[in-house]
Amino acid sequence: MQFGYLLSGSAPTIKKYKSAAGHAAGIIVIAPVAGATGVSTSTTILWANSLGLTLDANVSQGSPVSYSTTQGAVEYLQSVIINPDAVLRALMVGSAANAALELRTVGTAASNGLTAVGTAGETDPSSPDMDEGTVWYSSGANGGASRKITSTTTTLTVTVSMPFAANRVGDRFMTIPYSPGNTAGVTLSTDLLNVRAELAATGATAAVVDYELNGNTNSFLHLLPMDSIFAGQIT
Amino acid sequence: MSQTILVKKAYTRAEIAQAQEADGKTKGRTAGSWVHDLCALKKVVTLCDFCKPKFNPGRLGYIKEKEYPVVQATCDGCTTFDPKCTAYFFEETYHTVRSTASMRRAESTAYRKRLAHTR
């Protein structure tokens, strides 16, 4: 994930924390768990008590390191941006291993523009459920247009309320379970860097501030992780 | 015989996190040596206005954060918390952890151009 901007528009606050695990750059770290000697790593579905986003990695000669067991050695440290209103920009991917989002193909044309029906063999948008998410086209008359999904059915169909222009067989489209201005659960990829948008919106709690809908390899979510320990609430 | 009164305090998570802050350079260490060690480890370097002129980011493969010219951080040179520090990122990791408006604009423009060809 990348640090995008601050909701408040003020200056970022960067802290260097003691670190005892080989955290990568661009992941959420959480308050030290019991027994840890430094900030702890979040998981793919949990970032409760988050501290913020790491801005550098723990490396030594190019390799990730945890901590030194040499007596008197200097502690490892890691820079973290800790603003609770920091908006993170996360690439949307289609698997735990960061595959591209599924690019669907219209199999049945809809002249009224109220549905987008995929082609047999594609993942059904009702499972994992994309309901209340977003559908957008990357080709055809609707290329670049997006709508909020109002329902999904098991017939490869997503339904919208505000109609698109009539689509044609062969037009390409994508679906994600997120829509901006809402809270959602996010599941991260195994490397904790990206958001898995092929799954239903469950997992680590976040607010979706905005998104960038481009192609299936370069679309991004703008997320505000909830439950920061600096947000003034104790959970 | 004197008695010691122990007052138990309930620390908040934020206070515990504050205690996790790294100490910075050790006593007797020169600032330049410490900052060069941070650079060797590709860490973010934050410097106050007084220490900034002594740092040459380009020579060490670093770039200055320009979208946020001011960050709140502890200066790696003089270990003072300063709300008007400047952040320097290792150039190779900058795009992993930062998204600037100009990068987003370039990506969006490139996509719109590609999209125009599909219509």
Side-chain angles (χ1 to χ4, degrees), chain A:
Chain A
M1 281 177 278
Q2 301 166 313
F3 163 60
Y5 49 93
L6 298 170
L7 277 187
S8 61
S10 57
T13 303
I14 297 172
K15 291 281 185 189
K16 285 193 171 71
Y17 283 119
K18 298 172 194 292
S19 181
H23 306 299
I27 66 165
I28 296 280
V29 284
I30 61 173
V33 296
T37 53
V39 294
S40 298
T41 317
S42 56
T43 70
T44 55
I45 54 166
L46 191 74
W47 54 35
N49 298 326
S50 68
L51 281 174
L53 186 81
T54 58
L55 295 176
D56 46 39
N58 268 352
V59 292
S60 177
Q61 296 177 340
S63 302
V65 292
S66 52
Y67 62 93
S68 169
T69 52
T70 307
Q71 277 190 293
V74 178
E75 285 178 307
Y76 285 130
L77 54 88
Q78 197 150 24
S79 308
V80 180
I81 181 159
I82 64 164
N83 301 57
D85 65 339
V87 178
L88 310 181
R89 182 178 184 252
L91 179 69
M92 290 188 278
V93 295
S95 77
N98 299 322
L101 278 177
E102 185 173 12
L103 194 54
R104 302 171 189 274
T105 307
V106 172
T108 307
S111 58
N112 63 6
L114 290 171
T115 56
V117 185
T119 305
E122 292 174 353
T123 311
D124 208 304
S126 66
S127 179
D129 201 359
M130 300 287 138
D131 191 17
E132 307 307 320
T134 303
V135 53
W136 79 100
Y137 284 86
S138 64
S139 72
N142 293 303
S146 66
R147 297 285 188 272
K148 183 174 176 289
I149 297 170
T150 51
S151 69
T152 56
T153 60
T154 54
T155 52
L156 295 166
T157 305
V158 295
T159 305
V160 299
S161 290
M162 188 178 168
F164 283 108
N167 63 16
R168 286 182 305 187
V169 172
D171 286 355
R172 311 302 295 270
F173 69 101
M174 286 160 275
T175 59
I176 53 168
Y178 304 108
S179 57
N182 210 342
T183 54
V186 294
T187 302
L188 303 176
S189 55
T190 308
D191 60 11
L192 305 177
L193 292 174
N194 303 315
V195 167
R196 292 181 64 183
E198 93 282 14
L199 299 177
T202 57
T205 315
V208 180
V209 180
D210 200 356
Y211 48 34
E212 295 167 54
L213 303 178
N214 299 321
N216 64 334
T217 57
N218 59 347
S219 292
F220 296 86
L221 266 189
H222 291 200
L223 292 170
L224 191 69
M226 313 294 264
D227 207 356
S228 161
I229 63 164
F230 299 114
Q233 59 180 9
I234 297 174
T235 57

Side-chain angles (χ1 to χ4, degrees), chain A residues 1-6 10-18 25-26 32 37-38 49 51 54-59 74-75 77 79 89 138-140 143-144 212-215 218 220 229-230 234-235, chain B residues 12-14 16-23 26 29 34 38 41-46 67-68 70-74 76 81 87 89 93 95-99 103-104 107-108 111-112 114-115 118-119:
Chain A
M1 281 177 278
Q2 301 166 313
F3 163 60
Y5 49 93
L6 298 170
S10 57
T13 303
I14 297 172
K15 291 281 185 189
K16 285 193 171 71
Y17 283 119
K18 298 172 194 292
T37 53
N49 298 326
L51 281 174
T54 58
L55 295 176
D56 46 39
N58 268 352
V59 292
V74 178
E75 285 178 307
L77 54 88
S79 308
R89 182 178 184 252
S138 64
S139 72
E212 295 167 54
L213 303 178
N214 299 321
N218 59 347
F220 296 86
I229 63 164
F230 299 114
I234 297 174
T235 57
Chain B
T12 63
R13 288 203 178 98
I16 294 168
Q18 198 172 20
Q20 291 297 321
E21 214 176 323
D23 304 325
T26 48
R29 185 113 190 247
W34 173 248
L38 291 176
L41 293 167
K42 305 174 181 178
K43 299 289 177 187
V44 172
V45 173
T46 49
E67 196 170 77
Y68 286 98
V70 167
V71 301
Q72 303 189 86
T74 301
D76 288 317
F81 183 81
F89 286 77
T93 53
H95 295 289
T96 309
V97 298
R98 281 288 288 120
S99 154
M103 290 179 208
R104 291 192 292 271
E107 267 187 64
S108 173
Y111 178 68
R112 298 290 158 207
R114 279 203 305 275
L115 202 58
T118 67
R119 286 185 178 169

Side-chain angles (χ1 to χ4, degrees), chain B residues 2-114:
Chain B
S2 64
Q3 290 186 331
T4 306
I5 300 171
L6 295 173
V7 181
K8 194 178 173 187
K9 189 182 173 192
Y11 292 100
T12 63
R13 288 203 178 98
E15 284 172 322
I16 294 168
Q18 198 172 20
Q20 291 297 321
E21 214 176 323
D23 304 325
K25 69 183 166 72
T26 48
K27 195 180 171 189
R29 185 113 190 247
T30 61
S33 154
W34 173 248
V35 170
H36 273 81
D37 272 7
L38 291 176
C39 293
L41 293 167
K42 305 174 181 178
K43 299 289 177 187
V44 172
V45 173
T46 49
L47 296 171
C48 68
D49 278 349
F50 294 107
C51 296
K52 200 166 61 176
K54 299 165 195 166
F55 182 62
N56 184 346
R59 223 184 73 196
L60 297 159
Y62 269 69
I63 51 172
K64 185 179 171 182
E65 170 59 57
K66 287 182 180 167
E67 196 170 77
Y68 286 98
V70 167
V71 301
Q72 303 189 86
T74 301
C75 173
D76 288 317
C78 59
T79 60
T80 308
F81 183 81
D82 192 322
K84 289 185 176 175
C85 276
T86 302
Y88 299 90
F89 286 77
F90 189 64
E91 198 166 2
E92 280 177 23
T93 53
Y94 187 71
H95 295 289
T96 309
V97 298
R98 281 288 288 120
S99 154
T100 63
S102 59
M103 290 179 208
R104 291 192 292 271
R105 192 175 296 116
E107 267 187 64
S108 173
T109 305
Y111 178 68
R112 298 290 158 207
K113 278 183 184 169
R114 279 203 305 275

